[in-house]
Amino acid sequence: MSWTSLDEAAFSGHEYTNVTQGWRNNETDAEVTIFRVEGTGLADVTDKDWAVQHPRVDDDNTHFFASEEAAEEFAESYIEDHPAPEPSY
């Protein structure tokens, strides 16, 4: 498997605001992260509480969800469907 779960220590810095889970692709260093929307600039564009951000494979690399569980299901599905994505954000 190309994806490794990130340790909480990896979530320091402003680019990881409110991140609760994340994975890094061992081949490309691309990341998939789950985060709370509250307190980010994205809170103005959605009424959802959670988001998943992933490497861009289309025009939409951030997806919003009402629950952390739904966000986690999406993130895990993305990882399974994209074993080695291009590392562009």
Side-chain angles (χ1 to χ4, degrees):
M1 184 154 156
S2 300
W3 294 92
T4 303
S5 182
L6 295 172
D7 187 271
E8 276 188 40
F11 304 145
S12 62
H14 69 279
E15 68 271 19
Y16 292 105
T17 301
N18 297 341
V19 170
T20 59
Q21 294 183 63
W23 298 263
R24 179 173 291 131
N25 187 288
N26 299 331
E27 297 171 21
T28 64
D29 284 337
E31 293 180 350
V32 174
T33 55
I34 298 174
F35 61 95
R36 281 194 66 79
V37 173
E38 182 181 355
T40 70
L42 296 173
D44 296 336
V45 300
T46 185
D47 62 348
K48 307 291 186 195
D49 293 329
W50 293 91
V52 173
Q53 198 161 48
H54 61 76
R56 182 166 291 141
V57 293
D58 51 29
D59 290 336
D60 192 13
N61 70 324
T62 304
H63 304 269
F64 300 101
F65 302 90
S67 70
E68 185 175 20
E69 293 80 17
E72 186 174 335
E73 287 176 16
F74 177 86
E76 289 173 352
S77 176
Y78 177 88
I79 289 168
E80 289 176 15
D81 293 344
H82 300 88
E86 294 297 316
S88 60
Y89 292 93

